[in-house]
Amino acid sequence: MEAHLEGVLAQRDTWTAAQCSIDRAMRAIGNRSTLLLLREAFYGARRFDEFARRVGITEAVAAARLKELVAVGVFERQPYQEPGQRTRHEYVLTETGRDLLPVAMALMQWGDEHLTGPAGPPLRVTHHGCGARVHVEVRCDAGHEVPLAELNIAHR
Amino acid sequence: MEAHLEGVLAQRDTWTAAQCSIDRAMRAIGNRSTLLLLREAFYGARRFDEFARRVGITEAVAAARLKELVAVGVFERQPYQEPGQRTRHEYVLTETGRDLLPVAMALMQWGDEHLTGPAGPPLRVTHHGCGARVHVEVRCDAGHEVPLAELNIAHR
């Protein structure tokens, strides 16, 4: 049922996952308000006020989380100026930030499947090009869908 | 660059994401120690001692997190007994739990790509059937890979 652990990994009592990328990712972005800020960026938010208002967090929390996300390379801070106003900054997703789309979509998919009541999922996500439903998949380069029992995990 | 918001969603200042599945998922499983417990379950852990030791958290934290994960349906608690010992319980992944594989893999992939140093990612994940590299993708039912700019999001 579980993944296949290869080579030195096979004996699980001889090692622990000291340099785990899941661990690093969770330390960098693994909290609720950060994921909701990312969601809003995927929906098009760029401005501080909109992030704070739409996520429903205080300005202090929004500022702290956005600062962390700039530091880790998820957002780039870019100046903008409206007529008669001082220069402000907006938060623009970088490629590193857009690479978090599978994380957000995988969470949404699991929430849709397992945490909604009888009303079902609130949103429908489709492909703009063809209209088909969009989902997140674990697949290999040869195109096979890969369930947990067919994952091979080896030390590099 | 961002997703296309359709219909009533198009005007972002008229709504906020009150019933968001990302939000629900993060409330249920969105903390570092929970994701690391899941990682260990994907690697084959079932017993309390092993979870606590391999994740490097206290027994109190492990017990609290595992209890939450049983409540949300990710693990099933099953009795086992070794000769001459009292009955203990192990934590077995349910289908709801296995459905979190894309979340864990998406986090690992992002960490591998953006948070490792010059040594690169610590693990290599391949398909047991064919040996090809495994990754997480956002795809539509028609088989297209879907980038952020081609996501259509509509109210149900």
Side-chain angles (χ1 to χ4, degrees), chain A residues 15 21 50 54 121 128 156, chain B residues 12 15 54 112 121 152 156:
Chain A
W15 62 282
S21 289
E50 191 177 28
R54 289 186 51 89
H128 195 61
R156 236 162 228 282
Chain B
R12 269 182 305 125
W15 61 283
R54 289 186 52 89
D112 278 352
N152 247 30
R156 241 162 224 280

Side-chain angles (χ1 to χ4, degrees), chain A residues 12 15 21 23 27 32 50 54 99 112 114 121 124 126-128 135 139 141 150 152 154 156, chain B residues 12 15 21 23 27 32 50 54 99 112 114 121 124 126-128 133 135 141 150 152 154 156:
Chain A
R12 270 182 304 125
W15 62 282
S21 289
D23 189 352
R27 285 181 196 271
R32 177 179 163 267
E50 191 177 28
R54 289 186 51 89
D99 283 349
D112 279 351
H114 298 290
R124 196 178 64 242
T126 55
H127 184 193
H128 195 61
H135 48 268
R139 242 178 223 281
D141 286 346
E150 295 177 19
N152 247 29
R156 236 162 228 282
Chain B
R12 269 182 305 125
W15 61 283
S21 288
D23 190 351
R27 286 182 195 270
R32 177 179 163 268
E50 191 177 29
R54 289 186 52 89
D99 283 348
D112 278 352
H114 298 291
R124 197 179 61 244
T126 55
H127 184 193
H128 196 63
R133 290 285 301 276
H135 48 268
D141 286 344
E150 294 177 20
N152 247 30
R156 241 162 224 280

Side-chain angles (χ1 to χ4, degrees), chain A residues 3 11 38 51 67 79 82 90 108 134 137:
Chain A
Q11 290 298 323
L38 275 167
F51 279 117
K67 195 174 171 185
E82 290 187 338
E90 53 186 14
M108 180 192 259
V134 171
E137 299 174 348

Side-chain angles (χ1 to χ4, degrees), chain A residues 76-90:
Chain A
E76 212 171 77
R77 228 166 141 254
Q78 288 182 1
Y80 71 97
Q81 191 166 20
E82 290 187 338
Q85 305 265 338
R86 64 178 175 80
T87 299
R88 292 194 168 86
H89 290 85
E90 53 186 14

Side-chain angles (χ1 to χ4, degrees), chain A residues 15-71:
Chain A
W15 62 282
T16 55
Q19 309 200 307
C20 170
S21 289
I22 298 175
D23 189 352
R24 287 181 177 172
M26 286 302 286
R27 285 181 196 271
I29 54 107
N31 67 79
R32 177 179 163 267
S33 49
T34 293
L35 259 294
L36 300 188
L37 289 166
L38 275 167
R39 174 194 72 192
E40 293 304 329
F42 293 142
Y43 287 170
R46 290 179 162 221
R47 298 193 173 177
F48 181 81
D49 293 353
E50 191 177 28
F51 279 117
R53 180 179 59 77
R54 289 186 51 89
V55 173
I57 51 182
T58 65
E59 297 207 343
V61 172
R65 293 290 95 79
L66 288 167
K67 195 174 171 185
E68 290 166 9
L69 288 168
V70 169

Side-chain angles (χ1 to χ4, degrees), chain B residues 75-146:
Chain B
F75 286 120
E76 211 171 75
R77 231 167 139 253
Q78 290 181 1
Y80 72 97
Q81 190 165 20
E82 291 187 339
Q85 305 266 339
R86 65 176 174 81
T87 299
R88 292 196 167 86
H89 290 86
E90 53 186 15
Y91 296 84
V92 181
L93 277 173
T94 62
E95 199 184 324
T96 298
R98 286 194 300 278
D99 283 348
L100 282 165
L101 183 65
V103 173
M105 290 285 302
L107 287 163
M108 180 191 260
Q109 180 165 295
W110 188 75
D112 278 352
E113 280 173 25
H114 298 291
L115 303 178
T116 57
L123 300 178
R124 197 179 61 244
V125 183
T126 55
H127 184 193
H128 196 63
C130 76
R133 290 285 301 276
V134 171
H135 48 268
V136 176
E137 299 174 347
V138 178
R139 247 180 220 281
C140 75
D141 286 344
H144 308 114
E145 249 195 285
V146 184

